[in-house]
Amino acid sequence: RADRLAALAARLRFALPGAELLELQLDVTDTGAVMALPKRIEGTPFEKVDILVANAGLALGVASADANDMTDAKRMIDTNVLGVISLCSAFLPGLRARNSGHLVITGSIAGHVAYAGGSCYNASKFAMTGFSQATRHDLKGTAIRVTQVSPGAVETEFSNVRFNGNDAKVESVYAGFTPLNGEDIADNIMYAVTRPVHHQVADMVVFANAQSGPTDIARNSAAP
């Protein structure tokens, strides 16, 4: 997705003349590359990271727990769990040494409430809920804040990936209600990172108005 990254950088440079940007392509399942990232950005204006948003995540299929594809299961765990842990291992030492910064982990309602057909994805996101809570305990007494944002239904490419591009299945996920979008979640993250320094937004669960749980959605209802 380097082309998309370059296109986004171009739009930002146009909208924010003079803004300093650094776009880097990275596979979060490549632990060595992740751990080398702090060294890779040395000498740039971004070497002292102060906000780390660990946003790795994907779901693959809706297999029952007795029918999981182990290739898919491993990819979800490698991306959703180890990808985030390695990013934190790479950058949290610097935040701690400077005694400042904010770690934001993008979780999911699937990390709070399980559902049929989500066993591996649920497992990966429950792991992130535990990891974010433990990290907050580990960093208590420092100035570093730890926030987990757990969205419900967000219309991004998430379902395209989950259903391997099956358009009918993707459309059915978001039919009959107004889901959240990526900008909504970015706004939630901005809220958390712009609180006064003595505030720490620990957990933020965000639903679409018509949603009350991971698969509990009122379709074609009075909800906006």
Side-chain angles (χ1 to χ4, degrees):
R1 296 183 175 181
D3 55 338
R4 295 191 190 184
L5 201 58
L8 174 61
R11 292 199 303 273
L12 290 172
R13 288 189 174 99
F14 179 79
L16 302 167
E20 292 183 296
L21 302 170
L22 177 65
E23 60 269 21
L24 300 171
Q25 186 178 23
L26 180 73
D27 179 356
V28 296
T29 66
D30 184 342
T31 303
V34 174
M35 295 304 295
L37 195 53
K39 190 73 175 176
R40 190 177 170 189
I41 63 175
E42 276 186 6
T44 75
F46 304 96
E47 63 179 333
K48 294 181 179 179
V49 170
D50 53 1
I51 299 174
L52 175 63
V53 180
N55 191 45
L58 80 167
L60 298 171
V62 288
S64 174
D66 59 304
N68 276 314
D69 179 286
M70 291 311 299
T71 299
D72 288 347
K74 184 176 185 303
R75 186 178 171 197
M76 282 186 270
I77 298 300
D78 285 350
T79 304
N80 301 1
V81 181
L82 297 180
V84 172
I85 292 174
S86 61
L87 279 168
C88 292
S89 295
F91 286 102
L92 285 181
L95 270 65
R96 188 157 201 166
R98 294 186 293 274
N99 191 38
S100 68
H102 201 143
L103 167 64
V104 180
I105 293 174
T106 305
S108 170
I109 183 55
H112 299 268
V113 182
Y115 57 90
S119 58
C120 285
Y121 183 64
N122 284 137
S124 72
K125 289 302 182 179
F126 268 85
M128 284 299 92
T129 296
F131 180 79
S132 65
Q133 291 175 0
T135 301
R136 196 175 301 113
H137 286 301
D138 288 340
L139 297 174
K140 71 179 183 296
T142 74
I144 302 167
R145 301 187 289 187
V146 180
T147 298
Q148 179 178 234
V149 179
S150 299
V154 184
E155 188 171 10
T156 60
E157 292 183 352
F158 178 86
S159 291
N160 301 74
V161 173
R162 181 169 220 167
F163 295 113
N164 197 29
N166 185 317
D167 291 338
K169 287 184 178 180
V170 172
E171 288 174 9
S172 72
V173 173
Y174 306 113
F177 76 108
T178 304
L180 301 170
N181 57 49
E183 288 77 10
D184 294 324
I185 306 309
D187 181 62
N188 299 148
I189 292 172
M190 284 300 298
Y191 173 83
V193 302
T194 55
R195 294 311 86 207
V197 293
H198 64 292
H199 289 207
Q200 180 170 210
V201 179
D203 291 289
M204 189 185 298
V205 177
V206 188
F207 285 144
N209 191 294
Q211 184 177 22
S212 62
T215 58
D216 305 286
I217 296 171
R219 300 179 190 273
N220 304 311
S221 72

